[in-house]
Amino acid sequence: MMRKIIHVDMDAFFASVEQHDNPKLRGKPVIVGGLSGRGVVSTCSYEARKYGVHSAMPMYMAKTLCPHGVFLPVRFQRYREVSEKVFDILYSVTDIVEPLSIDEAYLDVTDIDKNPEDIAKEIKEKVYNETGLTVSAGVSYNKFLAKIASDWNKPDGLMVITEDMVPDILRPLSVSKVYGIGKKSSERLKKIGVEKVDDLLKLSQDELRNIFGKYGKEIYDRIRGIDLRPVETYRETKSIGKETTLKKDTSDLDLLLKYLRGFANIVSSELKSEGLYCRTVTVKIKTSNFTVHTRSRTLNEYIDLPDDIYSVAESIFKEAKIIQPVRLIGLSVSNLSAIKIKQLSLFDLDVERNLKIDKIVYEVNKKLGGYFVKRGSDM
């Protein structure tokens, strides 16, 4: 039986929330993101996009392109509140929902005895009535085509792609629209004269394998309307991390270690909230010449305490012996497990005391909704 998949995507989500909460901003080029010298655009309104502004663009560039824009900081807690309302609507339709981000998801409505286009219309109507925001929806028989459809006539769009429309409807699209083809691959294809899906369709499966390796067959199938990926209701967390671009390049060891200490606290809190432990700690460093250094260490046991995570990160950082000033620093953990190991600390002394302190700090911060209570050593 052919599946019925819906892809929903909130329109310019962060910027739309800001315009909804402050009606004076409607119709204006709203740009949301980091406002520091090295901040980047998180989301911008469609009015700002007319000037060439887009997400992930450096904020200084956005200000150059759109100097009269309204620049606002990210209010993540507010966006999360709205997102929860939207996802409540999605889950009222079906339990088979795959969240992709705070404002985007797939739904499998195959088992619902109803036209999927009508379901998509109902979702759009409910979201607008309950949040005042618009959502674009795409309907098709697989995930790839449903996502292509939702992006077809944004904002507030609704598009259905049926089997008889493929591959002709895909031919004029840029190869970058094909799931699995990233920026680097697009540039590589452009060098050999392949810019549109129509060009891609002329390549054989073997030629695509030579270009994409083992993913060549998937690309070959996808542009012909074949995508067997199911809607996954649970996505396993593979890593948890935090990084930041510094306001100024620095070689100050103490300052950089303070960042790692703060990241270790945040990562530890997230591990605890998900009931997970980690075995691999990774430190990421980007220097002033834009060289990225990534160093990892895998332990013999699982940990989740901030002291343990920081201790490993500190050791990794010092052993890296970075000479250039640092532009970006980050910490992440992986090799995650839900198995509870009794011996959690790397330190033999004061294990119970540390466990009790960290548990109290975690519970208080959880109630307060942020990282407000800290150890004295973290101040």
Side-chain angles (χ1 to χ4, degrees), residues 251-311:
S251 297
D252 186 335
L253 177 62
D254 290 337
L255 176 62
L256 293 169
L257 290 177
K258 283 180 181 177
Y259 273 105
L260 289 179
R261 165 66 78 177
F263 294 161
N265 288 324
I266 293 170
V267 168
S268 172
S269 181
E270 290 192 29
L271 284 171
K272 286 175 165 56
S273 69
E274 295 193 31
L276 296 172
Y277 303 88
C278 68
R279 203 159 70 90
T280 299
V281 177
T282 300
V283 173
K284 177 182 175 182
I285 303 160
K286 182 188 289 184
T287 54
S288 56
N289 61 357
F290 289 87
T291 301
V292 177
H293 304 266
T294 305
R295 302 284 188 275
S296 298
R297 181 169 300 165
T298 299
L299 310 172
N300 292 324
E301 59 185 329
Y302 287 92
I303 60 174
D304 74 337
L305 297 181
D307 280 349
D308 292 356
I309 296 169
Y310 172 71
S311 177

Side-chain angles (χ1 to χ4, degrees), residues 347-364:
F347 311 106
D348 292 326
L349 299 175
D350 298 329
V351 173
E352 281 192 39
R353 182 175 65 85
N354 283 332
L355 280 168
K356 289 177 181 177
I357 292 173
D358 284 311
K359 184 175 181 181
I360 293 170
V361 169
Y362 169 68
E363 291 297 335
V364 173

Side-chain angles (χ1 to χ4, degrees), residues 14 53 67 91 125 162 168 198 200 212 265 267 284 314 319 354 356 378-379:
F14 293 1
V53 181
Y91 282 110
E125 185 178 354
T162 57
D168 290 342
D198 190 45
L200 209 55
F212 299 104
N265 288 324
V267 168
K284 177 182 175 182
E314 178 189 28
E319 288 177 12
N354 283 332
K356 289 177 181 177
D378 296 339
M379 301 298 289

Side-chain angles (χ1 to χ4, degrees), residues 108-353:
D108 188 328
V109 295
T110 307
D111 294 332
I112 299 177
D113 188 19
K114 203 170 190 178
N115 187 317
E117 184 177 359
D118 291 336
I119 297 174
K121 287 178 180 177
E122 290 173 7
I123 290 172
K124 285 168 59 64
E125 185 178 354
K126 286 181 180 178
V127 169
Y128 184 77
N129 289 340
E130 295 190 26
T131 69
L133 304 178
T134 62
V135 58
S136 290
V139 179
S140 195
Y141 57 93
N142 64 45
K143 290 168 74 171
F144 167 59
L145 295 174
K147 183 160 174 51
I148 290 287
S150 71
D151 197 40
W152 201 266
N153 50 7
K154 274 181 160 285
D156 198 18
L158 174 58
M159 175 74 173
V160 180
I161 296 180
T162 57
E163 192 174 17
D164 60 300
M165 297 165 70
V166 181
D168 290 342
I169 194 170
L170 304 176
R171 291 184 187 277
L173 301 181
S174 166
V175 293
S176 62
K177 292 286 188 181
V178 180
Y179 178 78
I181 300 182
K183 185 176 180 181
K184 289 183 179 179
S185 296
S186 296
E187 291 172 354
R188 194 162 74 246
L189 288 169
K190 189 175 181 179
K191 289 178 181 178
I192 62 173
V194 178
E195 298 187 47
K196 304 291 183 182
V197 173
D198 190 45
D199 302 320
L200 209 55
L201 284 163
K202 295 171 185 175
L203 300 179
S204 68
Q205 194 172 134
D206 287 339
E207 287 173 317
L208 288 174
R209 276 205 180 102
N210 288 334
I211 297 171
F212 299 104
K214 63 181 181 180
Y215 298 108
K217 184 181 185 306
E218 291 182 21
I219 300 296
Y220 181 88
D221 288 341
R222 205 158 281 156
I223 59 178
R224 288 166 174 78
I226 302 170
D227 181 12
L228 302 179
R229 292 175 300 148
V231 173
E232 299 175 316
T233 56
Y234 171 73
R235 300 189 122 209
E236 183 181 0
T237 303
K238 295 188 177 178
S239 67
I240 294 173
K242 176 71 176 175
E243 65 179 45
T244 189
T245 299
L246 308 176
K247 291 182 179 179
K248 293 183 179 179
D249 299 346
T250 183
S251 297
D252 186 335
L253 177 62
D254 290 337
L255 176 62
L256 293 169
L257 290 177
K258 283 180 181 177
Y259 273 105
L260 289 179
R261 165 66 78 177
F263 294 161
N265 288 324
I266 293 170
V267 168
S268 172
S269 181
E270 290 192 29
L271 284 171
K272 286 175 165 56
S273 69
E274 295 193 31
L276 296 172
Y277 303 88
C278 68
R279 203 159 70 90
T280 299
V281 177
T282 300
V283 173
K284 177 182 175 182
I285 303 160
K286 182 188 289 184
T287 54
S288 56
N289 61 357
F290 289 87
T291 301
V292 177
H293 304 266
T294 305
R295 302 284 188 275
S296 298
R297 181 169 300 165
T298 299
L299 310 172
N300 292 324
E301 59 185 329
Y302 287 92
I303 60 174
D304 74 337
L305 297 181
D307 280 349
D308 292 356
I309 296 169
Y310 172 71
S311 177
V312 179
E314 178 189 28
S315 176
I316 293 172
F317 181 80
K318 288 181 176 179
E319 288 177 12
K321 296 180 179 178
I322 303 298
I323 299 173
Q324 294 283 335
V326 174
R327 175 184 175 84
L328 175 149
I329 186 164
L331 185 158
S332 63
V333 296
S334 53
N335 255 338
L336 307 181
S337 173
I339 300 173
K340 294 185 178 180
I341 309 297
K342 287 185 179 180
Q343 187 181 352
L344 296 176
S345 179
L346 297 177
F347 311 106
D348 292 326
L349 299 175
D350 298 329
V351 173
E352 281 192 39
R353 182 175 65 85

Side-chain angles (χ1 to χ4, degrees), residues 6-10 13-14 76 79-107 123 126-127 130-131 133 135 231-233 235:
I6 300 174
H7 179 261
V8 294
D9 191 6
M10 299 298 294
F13 185 47
F14 293 1
F76 196 75
Y79 309 146
R80 187 180 293 279
E81 289 173 6
V82 179
S83 174
E84 288 175 358
K85 290 182 180 179
V86 174
F87 274 89
D88 283 345
I89 292 170
L90 302 185
Y91 282 110
S92 71
V93 174
T94 176
D95 291 331
I96 311 177
V97 177
E98 179 181 347
L100 299 176
S101 65
I102 193 172
D103 62 345
E104 183 182 6
Y106 285 111
L107 294 81
I123 290 172
K126 286 181 180 178
V127 169
E130 295 190 26
T131 69
L133 304 178
V135 58
V231 173
E232 299 175 316
T233 56
R235 300 189 122 209

